[in-house]
Amino acid sequence: MHWIAAIAMLIPFTASACLAHAQPSGGMGLANLLGVLVANCVVGWATYRIAMSSGKRGPAAAAKITAVASLFGGPLLWFLLTHTQAS
């Protein structure tokens, strides 16, 4: 289950980096790629810790919750970090 969660965290970061931050050369940019990867890992780690701290879920259920949260939360967090500007 841990491998499934890890793979699920890695899937959306490529598409998100390509679509949100296209480079003039046609690439996605290493900084954007790494940024989305870090955001996915942070969201996944926080979600896993919260799911396991409740004591109601086993490792398999926590891995599923982590995968879903990082699929949506990581790219969303990266989008908010790169597109919000201080007023």
Side-chain angles (χ1 to χ4, degrees):
M1 285 315 272
H2 293 289
W3 285 108
I4 293 172
I7 291 169
M9 287 190 313
L10 298 177
I11 292 170
F13 76 88
T14 305
S16 177
C18 288
L19 294 174
H21 304 287
Q23 302 294 310
S25 63
M28 67 182 88
L30 183 60
N32 296 323
L33 186 68
L34 292 175
V36 176
L37 175 64
V38 169
N40 283 347
C41 290
V42 167
V43 169
W45 178 81
T47 305
Y48 184 77
R49 287 294 179 195
I50 292 169
M52 290 303 289
S53 69
S54 69
K56 296 179 183 178
R57 292 172 178 76
K64 291 175 189 175
I65 294 169
T66 300
V68 171
S70 63
L71 275 171
F72 295 104
L76 180 62
L77 176 65
W78 182 247
F79 179 81
L80 291 174
L81 289 174
T82 58
H83 286 83
T84 55
Q85 298 176 2
S87 302

